[in-house]
Every structure is written in structure tokens, then in C-alpha cells.
Amino acid sequence: MYTQAMDTLARESGDALKPVRSTEEKLLEERFDARIDAGDFIEAKDWMPAHYRKTLLRQISQHAHSEIVGMLPEGNWVTRAPTLKRKLILLAKIQDEAGHGLYLYSAAETLGTSRDQMLNALHTGKAKYSSIFNYPTLTWADMGTVGWLVDGAAIMNQVPICRCSYAPYARAMIRICREESFHQRQGFEALLTMMQQGTEAQRAMVQDAVNRWWWPCLMMFGPPDAESPNSAQSMRWGIKRVSNDELRQKFIDATVEQAKLLGVTLPDPELKWNEERQQHDHGPIDWAEFWAVVGGDGPCNQERLGARVKAWDDGAWVREAALAHARKHTPQQQAA
Amino acid sequence: MSTPEPSTEWPLWEVFVRSKAGLDHKHCGSLHAADAKLAIQLARDVYARRQEGISIWVVPSNQIVASDPGDKSSYFDPMEDKVYRHPTFYALPDALNHM
């Protein structure tokens, strides 16, 4: 599911675009830009500017990490799903997230990094993942809400990436988006069941979950356009197709109608239809909270990362044993 | 955590899936697996969770030999001016209909 237009490159290292280098590189870059302008897809072995590679590597690996870490909040409810049907659905969804993480790691590897390097960056806290997974999943209604709102926001973010200029990423995204729509639908259906057939307490639980997830979901689209200095370059290169604010607006407009169908309210007193803009106005987003969560101070940052590192460390003997077994049975591969 | 030794990373495999009887196997992605048997099993879990296939091939990625993208034009462009290799090159009377 989950990319986040975080655009923290400049903020962190201040090494945005450097002026163009040698004449040869300048020529290569002109050709590259022309290919982008022509709507060409870039493949792994094609020449690309170093900054294009770096930006993509960062975005794709971050996206992959988000899929993998995103399994944790949902894993919390596998053993406590209310029915066998819901448990099977939840398991299938979590398995999808694992698959999506793997597609994306593979896409990132085509840019010249290794799986171990990426995992190491995640486990040491060097790499980021979507801020949304640092919030806890407190009740069963959170599972439905994650599907409806979190996956909904993710889909909104991801559909334009299916047209990303970097083909291995675009191909992974096409596959992901195809599989993703069930995630949002099952979430909405789970909530609808509670709203229409549930008790007063269950309806209150749904409203509570929506209240807690609404603002963090809006933050998933990343900082406002005005504070995204690298966005223009990403747009230029066809890595990003639609701006953070545009996507956020689209998500809000779509969700307002869905909330009405569901029978819940969205926790923003300033949320209202603007006849002139033909869009909804909304209240201010607490960006201080966003940056705190991204920076490691969210409610669950340590727990999430701790769980990932533990899973990786605990699985080390399995990975080693499988490799030892493979070497024993195919001695010719030993040299490779 | 220290950086893991490169040799502990499982080798990379390319995955090809035949979506249904009568069609070609088509490349659909890659994955890491310790050996061929595990690669097939993981490929099923990663690339065929929704009946996407009835047959899977896996090939060690380092065994794939590819044409050089830098040679793309010299390799493939010569075919550009050989339009007579296509049936549409031949203008025939309408009466001939489906030839």
C-alpha cells in the first residue's frame, strides 16, 4: 500500500541538484531529459542522472519498508479478528503487504543497492517508512479504518506512480494497485457491517477509530507543496505525477462522500464544501506532529522498529540454514 | 546491528509465470531464495496469490544474458525500414477481402 511523499532529501542533507558537470554528462542529461519529455520509460541499465537514481532509490526503498512495517499494526489483530471470515481476509491482506514490499525491494535493487543494505538502513533507523504506521491499532474498528482510510490514501498516492518514468517501479506499482483495491473495500465493508448491524458501542468504536486516523491519513500525502522543494524536480523527471496537496484534496473530496454513506463524521469542524472552488475546505494540519512522528517520536516508532529487528534477528538461523542446505546440495554454486 | 556479510544474502532469481494453458511464460519479477526449490515455492507465494499462473519457471538472475541497451539502435533500428515484412505493406483489391 503505502508510499509517502516525504520529500525529506533536501531537509536532511541539503544536497539537492548540483550544477551540471562535464560536457559529456551534460549531453547525457539532455538526452535523458528528452526521453522523459517524450514519455519514454527508463529501464535499469539505461543511463540516468545520479540524483534521479538517488531519489528513486530513496523513494522505492522507503515505500518497500512501509509495506513491510505496515504488516505490524494489522498483525496485532489476526488472533483477535471477530470471525473466521474476517481473520482470513486480514491474513490475505497482510500477505499482500509482504508481497508488495518484495516487489518494491526488487525494483529498488535494480538501481544498484542490495536487499541487505536496504534492510540494514531500516533496522538502524537510517531509512524512513510511512509515518502512519507509528500509530497504534487499538480496536477492531481500527482494522476497518486502516483499510478504508489508510489504504484509500495509499491508493490515491500510488495510482499516479503507475506512470512513473522508472519502469521497474511503475511495473511494481501496477501490480500493487491491481491487488490493492480489495484492501480498501474490505475495510469499508467491515465498518459498514458494524455501523448497520452493530450495537451502539460498536458504532461509537467506528467513530472513535475514524477520529483518530483522519489527521494522520491526511499527513500521508506529505508536507504541503510549498514546503516540498524537491517536488518540482521529481515532477520534471516523471517520478512524481501529482502534487501532495492535489492528492490530499482529491482524497478529502472522495472521503467526505464515503463517510456520509458510512454514517460517520470526520473530525474537522472546518471541513466544508467550497462552492467556488468546487472542493472541500479543511482545517489546518498539525505538521509539527508529522515531523515529530517522522523524526522518531510517534506513539509506536520504537515498538515497530523493535519488532522488525527482532523478526530479522530471530530469522537469521533459518536464512543461514537454508543457504547451508543449498550449498550442500548444489556444490557447483559454491563458487558463484 | 552491523552490516551483514554479502555472502549471507540469498541469491536472486528471475520468475516467469504461465498464466494459462497455451500461453507463454512471461517474466513477472524477481526474488531472493536459497535454492531452486525454495525459489519456486516463494514465487508461488509472491507472484501467484490470486491464480495468476499454472506454471512457474525460476532462473538464477546471474544466468540471464541480455542485449546491451547501448546497442539498442544498431541492433533493432535496421528493422525499421523493412516495411515489406509486414502484410499491411501490400495494397490489394478490396474484393480479396481477408487474405
Side-chain angles (χ1 to χ4, degrees), chain A residues 33-80:
Chain A
D33 286 348
R35 288 188 63 189
I36 296 283
D37 291 340
D40 251 14
F41 283 108
I42 309 300
E43 291 289 347
K45 299 246 166 88
D46 297 347
W47 186 90
M48 60 186 87
H51 195 70
Y52 178 84
R53 186 185 297 275
K54 193 173 168 185
T55 304
L56 274 167
L57 196 54
R58 198 183 168 85
Q59 182 173 332
I60 302 171
S61 61
Q62 188 172 287
H63 193 166
H65 297 325
S66 300
E67 302 283 350
I68 299 298
V69 175
M71 293 194 283
L72 297 171
E74 300 190 302
N76 192 31
W77 284 90
V78 171
T79 58
R80 287 176 281 172

Short mmCIF file of all heavy atoms in Angstrom, two decimals, chain A residues 33-80:
data_model
loop_
_atom_site.label_atom_id
_atom_site.label_comp_id
_atom_site.label_asym_id
_atom_site.label_seq_id
_atom_site.Cartn_x
_atom_site.Cartn_y
_atom_site.Cartn_z
N ASP A 33 16.67 13.94 -20.39
CA ASP A 33 15.51 14.84 -20.25
C ASP A 33 14.59 14.75 -21.46
O ASP A 33 13.37 14.78 -21.33
CB ASP A 33 15.98 16.29 -20.07
CG ASP A 33 16.55 16.53 -18.67
OD1 ASP A 33 16.37 15.65 -17.80
OD2 ASP A 33 17.20 17.58 -18.46
N ALA A 34 15.21 14.60 -22.64
CA ALA A 34 14.40 14.49 -23.86
C ALA A 34 13.57 13.21 -23.84
O ALA A 34 12.41 13.20 -24.25
CB ALA A 34 15.31 14.52 -25.09
N ARG A 35 14.18 12.15 -23.34
CA ARG A 35 13.43 10.88 -23.23
C ARG A 35 12.26 11.04 -22.27
O ARG A 35 11.17 10.55 -22.52
CB ARG A 35 14.36 9.76 -22.73
CG ARG A 35 15.37 9.29 -23.75
CD ARG A 35 16.10 8.06 -23.26
NE ARG A 35 15.17 6.93 -23.07
CZ ARG A 35 15.51 5.79 -22.49
NH1 ARG A 35 16.72 5.62 -22.01
NH2 ARG A 35 14.62 4.81 -22.37
N ILE A 36 12.52 11.71 -21.16
CA ILE A 36 11.45 11.94 -20.18
C ILE A 36 10.33 12.75 -20.83
O ILE A 36 9.15 12.42 -20.70
CB ILE A 36 11.99 12.69 -18.93
CG1 ILE A 36 13.03 11.84 -18.21
CG2 ILE A 36 10.85 13.11 -18.00
CD1 ILE A 36 12.49 10.70 -17.36
N ASP A 37 10.73 13.81 -21.55
CA ASP A 37 9.73 14.67 -22.21
C ASP A 37 8.89 13.89 -23.21
O ASP A 37 7.71 14.16 -23.40
CB ASP A 37 10.41 15.85 -22.92
CG ASP A 37 11.01 16.83 -21.93
OD1 ASP A 37 10.58 16.79 -20.76
OD2 ASP A 37 11.90 17.60 -22.32
N ALA A 38 9.54 12.92 -23.85
CA ALA A 38 8.83 12.13 -24.87
C ALA A 38 7.96 11.06 -24.24
O ALA A 38 7.31 10.28 -24.93
CB ALA A 38 9.85 11.50 -25.82
N GLY A 39 7.99 10.99 -22.90
CA GLY A 39 7.16 10.00 -22.21
C GLY A 39 7.76 8.60 -22.23
O GLY A 39 7.08 7.62 -21.96
N ASP A 40 9.07 8.54 -22.52
CA ASP A 40 9.77 7.25 -22.52
C ASP A 40 9.89 6.69 -21.10
O ASP A 40 9.98 7.44 -20.15
CB ASP A 40 11.21 7.49 -23.02
CG ASP A 40 11.42 6.91 -24.40
OD1 ASP A 40 10.41 6.59 -25.04
OD2 ASP A 40 12.59 6.82 -24.82
N PHE A 41 9.93 5.38 -21.01
CA PHE A 41 10.24 4.75 -19.73
C PHE A 41 11.74 4.50 -19.63
O PHE A 41 12.39 4.18 -20.61
CB PHE A 41 9.50 3.41 -19.60
CG PHE A 41 8.05 3.57 -19.27
CD1 PHE A 41 7.07 3.31 -20.22
CD2 PHE A 41 7.67 3.99 -18.01
CE1 PHE A 41 5.72 3.47 -19.91
CE2 PHE A 41 6.33 4.15 -17.68
CZ PHE A 41 5.35 3.88 -18.64
N ILE A 42 12.27 4.66 -18.45
CA ILE A 42 13.69 4.42 -18.21
C ILE A 42 13.83 3.02 -17.60
O ILE A 42 13.12 2.68 -16.66
CB ILE A 42 14.26 5.47 -17.21
CG1 ILE A 42 13.91 6.89 -17.67
CG2 ILE A 42 15.76 5.28 -17.02
CD1 ILE A 42 14.44 7.27 -19.03
N GLU A 43 14.73 2.24 -18.17
CA GLU A 43 14.97 0.90 -17.63
C GLU A 43 16.26 0.88 -16.81
O GLU A 43 17.08 1.80 -16.90
CB GLU A 43 15.04 -0.13 -18.77
CG GLU A 43 13.71 -0.39 -19.48
CD GLU A 43 12.68 -1.16 -18.62
OE1 GLU A 43 13.06 -1.72 -17.56
OE2 GLU A 43 11.51 -1.20 -19.04
N ALA A 44 16.42 -0.20 -16.05
CA ALA A 44 17.51 -0.28 -15.07
C ALA A 44 18.89 0.00 -15.66
O ALA A 44 19.72 0.67 -15.05
CB ALA A 44 17.50 -1.64 -14.40
N LYS A 45 19.15 -0.50 -16.88
CA LYS A 45 20.51 -0.39 -17.43
C LYS A 45 20.72 0.91 -18.21
O LYS A 45 21.82 1.17 -18.69
CB LYS A 45 20.79 -1.59 -18.35
CG LYS A 45 20.72 -2.93 -17.61
CD LYS A 45 22.08 -3.61 -17.54
CE LYS A 45 22.11 -4.76 -16.54
NZ LYS A 45 21.70 -6.04 -17.11
N ASP A 46 19.68 1.71 -18.36
CA ASP A 46 19.82 2.96 -19.10
C ASP A 46 20.61 3.98 -18.28
O ASP A 46 20.59 3.95 -17.05
CB ASP A 46 18.43 3.56 -19.42
CG ASP A 46 17.62 2.65 -20.32
OD1 ASP A 46 18.20 1.70 -20.89
OD2 ASP A 46 16.40 2.88 -20.45
N TRP A 47 21.25 4.91 -18.98
CA TRP A 47 21.93 5.99 -18.27
C TRP A 47 20.89 6.85 -17.56
O TRP A 47 19.81 7.11 -18.11
CB TRP A 47 22.74 6.86 -19.25
CG TRP A 47 23.56 7.88 -18.50
CD1 TRP A 47 24.84 7.72 -18.03
CD2 TRP A 47 23.14 9.20 -18.11
NE1 TRP A 47 25.23 8.85 -17.37
CE2 TRP A 47 24.22 9.77 -17.40
CE3 TRP A 47 21.97 9.94 -18.26
CZ2 TRP A 47 24.16 11.06 -16.85
CZ3 TRP A 47 21.90 11.22 -17.72
CH2 TRP A 47 22.99 11.77 -17.04
N MET A 48 21.20 7.27 -16.36
CA MET A 48 20.31 8.19 -15.65
C MET A 48 21.15 9.10 -14.75
O MET A 48 22.22 8.70 -14.29
CB MET A 48 19.28 7.41 -14.82
CG MET A 48 19.88 6.51 -13.76
SD MET A 48 18.63 5.49 -12.93
CE MET A 48 18.55 4.06 -14.02
N PRO A 49 20.67 10.33 -14.52
CA PRO A 49 21.42 11.23 -13.64
C PRO A 49 21.53 10.62 -12.24
O PRO A 49 20.60 9.94 -11.79
CB PRO A 49 20.56 12.50 -13.60
CG PRO A 49 19.62 12.40 -14.76
CD PRO A 49 19.42 10.95 -15.02
N ALA A 50 22.65 10.87 -11.58
CA ALA A 50 22.88 10.30 -10.26
C ALA A 50 21.75 10.69 -9.28
O ALA A 50 21.33 9.89 -8.45
CB ALA A 50 24.23 10.77 -9.72
N HIS A 51 21.27 11.91 -9.44
CA HIS A 51 20.24 12.37 -8.50
C HIS A 51 18.89 11.69 -8.75
O HIS A 51 18.12 11.46 -7.82
CB HIS A 51 20.10 13.89 -8.58
CG HIS A 51 19.35 14.48 -7.43
ND1 HIS A 51 19.86 14.52 -6.16
CD2 HIS A 51 18.10 15.00 -7.35
CE1 HIS A 51 18.97 15.07 -5.34
NE2 HIS A 51 17.89 15.37 -6.04
N TYR A 52 18.64 11.37 -10.01
CA TYR A 52 17.42 10.61 -10.36
C TYR A 52 17.48 9.25 -9.68
O TYR A 52 16.52 8.79 -9.04
CB TYR A 52 17.38 10.46 -11.88
CG TYR A 52 16.22 9.65 -12.45
CD1 TYR A 52 14.98 10.22 -12.68
CD2 TYR A 52 16.40 8.30 -12.80
CE1 TYR A 52 13.94 9.47 -13.24
CE2 TYR A 52 15.37 7.56 -13.35
CZ TYR A 52 14.14 8.15 -13.57
OH TYR A 52 13.11 7.41 -14.12
N ARG A 53 18.63 8.61 -9.80
CA ARG A 53 18.83 7.29 -9.19
C ARG A 53 18.66 7.36 -7.67
O ARG A 53 17.96 6.56 -7.07
CB ARG A 53 20.23 6.77 -9.54
CG ARG A 53 20.51 5.34 -9.08
CD ARG A 53 21.96 4.95 -9.35
NE ARG A 53 22.30 4.94 -10.76
CZ ARG A 53 22.09 3.91 -11.58
NH1 ARG A 53 21.57 2.80 -11.10
NH2 ARG A 53 22.38 3.97 -12.85
N LYS A 54 19.26 8.36 -7.10
CA LYS A 54 19.24 8.51 -5.64
C LYS A 54 17.82 8.77 -5.13
O LYS A 54 17.38 8.19 -4.14
CB LYS A 54 20.17 9.66 -5.26
CG LYS A 54 20.48 9.74 -3.78
CD LYS A 54 21.54 10.80 -3.52
CE LYS A 54 21.64 11.08 -2.02
NZ LYS A 54 22.56 12.16 -1.73
N THR A 55 17.13 9.66 -5.84
CA THR A 55 15.76 9.99 -5.45
C THR A 55 14.87 8.76 -5.51
O THR A 55 14.09 8.49 -4.60
CB THR A 55 15.19 11.09 -6.39
OG1 THR A 55 16.07 12.21 -6.34
CG2 THR A 55 13.80 11.51 -5.97
N LEU A 56 15.00 8.01 -6.60
CA LEU A 56 14.18 6.81 -6.76
C LEU A 56 14.51 5.75 -5.73
O LEU A 56 13.62 5.13 -5.14
CB LEU A 56 14.40 6.22 -8.15
CG LEU A 56 13.53 6.79 -9.24
CD1 LEU A 56 14.07 6.36 -10.59
CD2 LEU A 56 12.08 6.34 -9.10
N LEU A 57 15.80 5.56 -5.53
CA LEU A 57 16.25 4.55 -4.59
C LEU A 57 15.66 4.82 -3.21
O LEU A 57 15.16 3.94 -2.52
CB LEU A 57 17.78 4.59 -4.52
CG LEU A 57 18.47 3.39 -3.90
CD1 LEU A 57 18.03 2.11 -4.57
CD2 LEU A 57 19.97 3.55 -4.03
N ARG A 58 15.69 6.07 -2.89
CA ARG A 58 15.16 6.51 -1.61
C ARG A 58 13.65 6.29 -1.54
O ARG A 58 13.13 5.73 -0.59
CB ARG A 58 15.49 7.99 -1.49
CG ARG A 58 15.43 8.53 -0.16
CD ARG A 58 15.72 10.01 -0.30
NE ARG A 58 15.40 10.64 0.94
CZ ARG A 58 16.26 10.70 1.95
NH1 ARG A 58 17.46 10.21 1.84
NH2 ARG A 58 15.89 11.27 3.07
N GLN A 59 12.96 6.72 -2.57
CA GLN A 59 11.50 6.63 -2.56
C GLN A 59 11.04 5.17 -2.60
O GLN A 59 10.15 4.77 -1.85
CB GLN A 59 10.91 7.40 -3.75
CG GLN A 59 9.38 7.35 -3.73
CD GLN A 59 8.76 8.24 -4.80
OE1 GLN A 59 9.33 9.25 -5.21
NE2 GLN A 59 7.58 7.86 -5.26
N ILE A 60 11.67 4.36 -3.46
CA ILE A 60 11.21 2.97 -3.60
C ILE A 60 11.53 2.16 -2.34
O ILE A 60 10.69 1.39 -1.87
CB ILE A 60 11.82 2.29 -4.85
CG1 ILE A 60 11.48 3.08 -6.11
CG2 ILE A 60 11.32 0.86 -4.98
CD1 ILE A 60 12.20 2.61 -7.36
N SER A 61 12.72 2.37 -1.79
CA SER A 61 13.06 1.58 -0.59
C SER A 61 12.19 2.02 0.58
O SER A 61 11.72 1.19 1.36
CB SER A 61 14.55 1.70 -0.26
OG SER A 61 14.90 3.03 0.02
N GLN A 62 11.94 3.30 0.68
CA GLN A 62 11.05 3.81 1.72
C GLN A 62 9.65 3.23 1.57
O GLN A 62 9.00 2.86 2.54
CB GLN A 62 11.00 5.33 1.57
CG GLN A 62 10.30 6.08 2.64
CD GLN A 62 10.53 7.58 2.43
OE1 GLN A 62 11.62 8.09 2.66
NE2 GLN A 62 9.52 8.27 1.96
N HIS A 63 9.22 3.13 0.34
CA HIS A 63 7.92 2.56 0.03
C HIS A 63 7.90 1.08 0.43
O HIS A 63 6.95 0.59 1.05
CB HIS A 63 7.67 2.74 -1.47
CG HIS A 63 6.27 2.51 -1.91
ND1 HIS A 63 5.81 2.88 -3.14
CD2 HIS A 63 5.23 1.91 -1.29
CE1 HIS A 63 4.54 2.54 -3.25
NE2 HIS A 63 4.16 1.94 -2.15
N ALA A 64 8.98 0.36 0.10
CA ALA A 64 9.06 -1.06 0.45
C ALA A 64 9.04 -1.26 1.97
O ALA A 64 8.30 -2.09 2.49
CB ALA A 64 10.33 -1.68 -0.15
N HIS A 65 9.83 -0.44 2.66
CA HIS A 65 9.85 -0.54 4.12
C HIS A 65 8.44 -0.31 4.69
O HIS A 65 8.03 -0.97 5.63
CB HIS A 65 10.79 0.51 4.73
CG HIS A 65 12.23 0.36 4.34
ND1 HIS A 65 12.82 -0.86 4.16
CD2 HIS A 65 13.19 1.28 4.11
CE1 HIS A 65 14.10 -0.70 3.83
NE2 HIS A 65 14.34 0.60 3.79
N SER A 66 7.72 0.63 4.09
CA SER A 66 6.37 0.94 4.58
C SER A 66 5.45 -0.26 4.46
O SER A 66 4.63 -0.52 5.34
CB SER A 66 5.78 2.13 3.82
OG SER A 66 6.60 3.26 3.97
N GLU A 67 5.58 -0.97 3.35
CA GLU A 67 4.75 -2.17 3.16
C GLU A 67 5.05 -3.19 4.26
O GLU A 67 4.14 -3.80 4.82
CB GLU A 67 5.02 -2.81 1.79
CG GLU A 67 4.77 -1.90 0.60
CD GLU A 67 3.29 -1.73 0.28
OE1 GLU A 67 2.47 -2.44 0.86
OE2 GLU A 67 2.98 -0.85 -0.56
N ILE A 68 6.32 -3.38 4.52
CA ILE A 68 6.72 -4.41 5.48
C ILE A 68 6.34 -4.00 6.90
O ILE A 68 5.74 -4.77 7.65
CB ILE A 68 8.24 -4.69 5.37
CG1 ILE A 68 8.58 -5.19 3.95
CG2 ILE A 68 8.70 -5.67 6.43
CD1 ILE A 68 7.92 -6.49 3.54
N VAL A 69 6.67 -2.76 7.27
CA VAL A 69 6.31 -2.30 8.62
C VAL A 69 4.78 -2.22 8.74
O VAL A 69 4.22 -2.47 9.81
CB VAL A 69 6.95 -0.92 8.92
CG1 VAL A 69 6.50 -0.39 10.27
CG2 VAL A 69 8.47 -1.04 8.90
N GLY A 70 4.11 -1.94 7.62
CA GLY A 70 2.65 -1.84 7.61
C GLY A 70 1.95 -3.14 7.97
O GLY A 70 0.76 -3.14 8.29
N MET A 71 2.67 -4.24 7.95
CA MET A 71 2.06 -5.51 8.36
C MET A 71 1.86 -5.55 9.88
O MET A 71 1.00 -6.27 10.38
CB MET A 71 2.94 -6.69 7.94
CG MET A 71 3.03 -6.88 6.44
SD MET A 71 3.72 -8.50 6.05
CE MET A 71 5.44 -8.21 6.35
N LEU A 72 2.67 -4.79 10.60
CA LEU A 72 2.66 -4.92 12.06
C LEU A 72 1.37 -4.44 12.73
O LEU A 72 0.81 -5.16 13.56
CB LEU A 72 3.88 -4.20 12.65
CG LEU A 72 5.23 -4.78 12.23
CD1 LEU A 72 6.36 -3.87 12.68
CD2 LEU A 72 5.41 -6.18 12.79
N PRO A 73 0.87 -3.24 12.38
CA PRO A 73 -0.37 -2.80 13.04
C PRO A 73 -1.53 -3.76 12.78
O PRO A 73 -2.41 -3.92 13.63
CB PRO A 73 -0.65 -1.43 12.41
CG PRO A 73 0.62 -1.00 11.76
CD PRO A 73 1.41 -2.23 11.47
N GLU A 74 -1.53 -4.41 11.62
CA GLU A 74 -2.62 -5.32 11.29
C GLU A 74 -2.39 -6.69 11.92
O GLU A 74 -3.34 -7.36 12.34
CB GLU A 74 -2.76 -5.42 9.77
CG GLU A 74 -3.07 -4.06 9.19
CD GLU A 74 -3.46 -4.12 7.73
OE1 GLU A 74 -2.65 -4.63 6.94
OE2 GLU A 74 -4.56 -3.68 7.40
N GLY A 75 -1.12 -7.08 12.01
CA GLY A 75 -0.78 -8.34 12.66
C GLY A 75 -1.32 -8.38 14.09
O GLY A 75 -1.67 -9.44 14.61
N ASN A 76 -1.40 -7.20 14.66
CA ASN A 76 -1.93 -7.05 16.02
C ASN A 76 -3.32 -7.65 16.18
O ASN A 76 -3.72 -8.01 17.29
CB ASN A 76 -1.96 -5.54 16.33
CG ASN A 76 -2.20 -5.24 17.79
OD1 ASN A 76 -1.81 -6.02 18.64
ND2 ASN A 76 -2.87 -4.13 18.07
N TRP A 77 -4.08 -7.76 15.09
CA TRP A 77 -5.48 -8.18 15.20
C TRP A 77 -5.79 -9.54 14.59
O TRP A 77 -6.94 -9.98 14.60
CB TRP A 77 -6.40 -7.10 14.59
CG TRP A 77 -6.51 -5.97 15.57
CD1 TRP A 77 -5.71 -4.87 15.65
CD2 TRP A 77 -7.40 -5.89 16.69
NE1 TRP A 77 -6.04 -4.10 16.72
CE2 TRP A 77 -7.09 -4.71 17.38
CE3 TRP A 77 -8.42 -6.72 17.16
CZ2 TRP A 77 -7.78 -4.32 18.53
CZ3 TRP A 77 -9.11 -6.32 18.31
CH2 TRP A 77 -8.78 -5.14 18.97
N VAL A 78 -4.77 -10.23 14.09
CA VAL A 78 -5.03 -11.53 13.45
C VAL A 78 -5.68 -12.50 14.43
O VAL A 78 -6.68 -13.14 14.13
CB VAL A 78 -3.72 -12.14 12.88
CG1 VAL A 78 -3.96 -13.58 12.43
CG2 VAL A 78 -3.21 -11.31 11.72
N THR A 79 -5.12 -12.59 15.62
CA THR A 79 -5.66 -13.58 16.58
C THR A 79 -6.95 -13.10 17.22
O THR A 79 -7.61 -13.86 17.92
CB THR A 79 -4.64 -13.86 17.70
OG1 THR A 79 -4.34 -12.62 18.35
CG2 THR A 79 -3.37 -14.48 17.14
N ARG A 80 -7.30 -11.84 17.00
CA ARG A 80 -8.50 -11.32 17.67
C ARG A 80 -9.58 -10.88 16.69
O ARG A 80 -10.53 -10.19 17.07
CB ARG A 80 -8.09 -10.14 18.57
CG ARG A 80 -7.35 -10.61 19.80
CD ARG A 80 -6.88 -9.45 20.62
NE ARG A 80 -5.68 -8.85 20.04
CZ ARG A 80 -5.15 -7.72 20.48
NH1 ARG A 80 -5.73 -7.06 21.45
NH2 ARG A 80 -4.05 -7.25 19.93
#
